[in-house]
Amino acid sequence: MRAARLISLVLLLQSRGSMTGPDLAGELEVSERTVARDVLALAEAGVPVYAERGRHGGYRLLGGYRTRLTGLHRGEAEALLLAAIPGPAAEMGLTGEVASARRKISAALAPGAQDAPERVSRRFHLDAPGWFRRCGTPPLLGELAEAVWQDRSVRAVYRRGDREVRRDVEPHGLVLKAGAWYVACRVGQRFLVYRADRFQHVELAGPFDRDESFDLPGFWQRRSEDFARSLLRDSVTVRLTPAGVRALPVHLDRFAAEHAEHGETDEQGLVTATLPVESLDVAYDQLLALGPEVEVLAPPELRGRMARAAARFAGLYAEAGELGQLSGSR
């Protein structure tokens, strides 16, 4: 345990140049006193680590020192290999780089972990598109990925509806969502999201100054929630059975199901809830799938539509029941 922590300490100093005792303690999840003891142990073992006092002080490695501790244990290697998922990497034109990285990881494996690449490939596979969807690779994804990697501006022609628009954008990141690629771009002072398959022409221009405070995962989560919220322009009030409550997340959009306002449960076990929906037409299709597990209370036009559908169902199955009775009486 301590040996692994000592290696981590050296690698942290090697990658960051200088770190304070509190910073190292936070990274290693130990006390500052433990950090001081570890630094002393490293120095006694011949690792040129030293402490600088003062306002800008901290622990450092002697200039130019590089550790040769390259042996990865099985868990570390499998985590790295899992990160290099071949499908998305190939779509971005990184097949060669991924293969080279896998070879280097294999060469750095500690004894007894040489089968890590095979273990990962046999146990994990990413199939990003949703069911019953076939998503092709956007034709200009390679160029967009190059712009992201190199912090290059792009002069683009983008399809918006039935027309094409020209945009100068600064691509900051790529997102793969349910088989579709999106590009997060800075346009002026704003960050916007574009679908990669709608780019009709891409011309790489000069470099731009990347916004180092840009947080791609956080930005994507906020935009996804804003987009889902913007679609939910209406609401309906329903009464649900326990089975209906359980089935709600299956038939409603995830965001809508999470933001449903559930009331109290009555003596029959039924729950009254207000559901955000995209439109009454969409709500009709979604709630119809719940069958008798839901009763629409409002608005009146949706309740009437559901009542008419229920009457049609009753008519269809009443005829089927009569036919069954007739065939059974022969």
Side-chain angles (χ1 to χ4, degrees), residues 24-325:
L24 281 168
E27 288 279 355
L28 300 173
E29 298 182 348
V30 296
S31 67
E32 292 183 50
R33 181 173 295 181
T34 298
V35 169
R37 286 199 298 263
D38 287 349
V39 168
L40 181 60
L42 287 169
E44 291 174 348
V47 178
V49 57
Y50 65 97
E52 283 189 345
R53 299 185 181 278
R55 181 179 179 184
H56 301 290
Y59 294 103
R60 299 176 184 271
L61 291 171
L62 194 64
Y65 177 83
R66 304 290 295 178
T67 178
R68 296 187 180 183
L69 296 170
T70 56
L72 301 174
H73 64 65
R74 182 186 301 278
E76 294 168 335
E78 290 176 351
L80 288 172
L81 291 164
L82 185 58
I85 301 296
E91 292 186 3
M92 289 190 292
L94 298 176
T95 303
E97 286 81 355
V98 169
S100 177
R102 291 172 71 90
R103 286 192 295 269
K104 291 180 180 179
I105 292 173
S106 297
L109 290 174
Q114 300 295 327
D115 63 339
E118 184 179 357
R119 279 170 52 86
V120 171
S121 63
R122 287 189 176 189
R123 287 166 172 78
F124 298 99
H125 174 69
L126 175 65
D127 185 10
W131 286 104
F132 313 115
R133 290 185 59 192
R134 181 172 296 177
C135 300
T137 302
L140 298 174
L141 181 62
E143 289 83 347
L144 293 167
E146 183 179 355
V148 170
W149 285 118
Q150 298 182 6
D151 294 338
R152 298 273 298 276
S153 300
V154 165
R155 297 188 181 97
V157 177
Y158 186 79
R159 188 182 76 253
R160 176 168 291 171
D162 57 354
R163 62 190 181 94
E164 294 183 348
V165 296
R166 296 185 179 275
R167 289 284 184 272
D168 291 339
V169 300
E170 298 173 349
H172 273 60
L174 286 166
V175 175
L176 178 61
K177 169 71 171 179
W181 286 93
Y182 297 86
V183 192
C185 299
R186 183 171 61 189
V187 183
Q189 301 300 315
R190 298 187 302 160
F191 280 95
L192 304 175
V193 175
Y194 296 88
R195 279 190 61 125
D197 58 2
R198 294 182 183 171
F199 282 90
Q200 306 299 297
H201 175 75
V202 166
E203 178 185 345
L204 269 62
F208 64 85
D209 293 328
R210 184 179 185 84
D211 184 349
E212 296 300 337
S213 66
F214 177 70
D215 172 22
L216 180 60
F219 168 77
W220 179 258
Q221 181 177 356
R222 291 191 300 273
R223 287 303 299 265
S224 298
E225 291 180 353
D226 290 344
F227 177 72
R229 189 180 293 108
S230 70
L231 293 178
L232 304 176
R233 305 183 184 92
D234 218 327
S235 65
V236 299
T237 304
V238 299
R239 186 182 289 123
L240 297 158
T241 66
V245 172
R246 292 192 297 271
L248 204 60
V250 177
H251 298 288
L252 254 65
D253 299 326
R254 179 189 62 82
F255 187 87
E258 290 177 353
H259 289 77
E261 297 180 5
H262 294 272
E264 295 183 358
T265 304
D266 65 17
E267 63 277 4
Q268 296 177 313
L270 303 178
V271 178
T272 300
T274 301
L275 311 177
V277 294
E278 182 176 344
S279 68
L280 295 187
D281 287 338
V282 172
Y284 172 77
D285 292 333
Q286 293 174 334
L287 296 176
L288 202 60
L290 292 174
E293 310 304 333
V294 61
E295 176 190 0
V296 173
L297 303 178
E301 57 267 37
L302 181 59
R303 179 177 174 86
R305 192 173 175 185
M306 295 289 286
R308 290 190 293 274
R312 289 171 58 195
F313 272 121
L316 289 172
Y317 288 104
E319 294 177 4
E322 291 173 2
L323 289 175
Q325 292 178 358

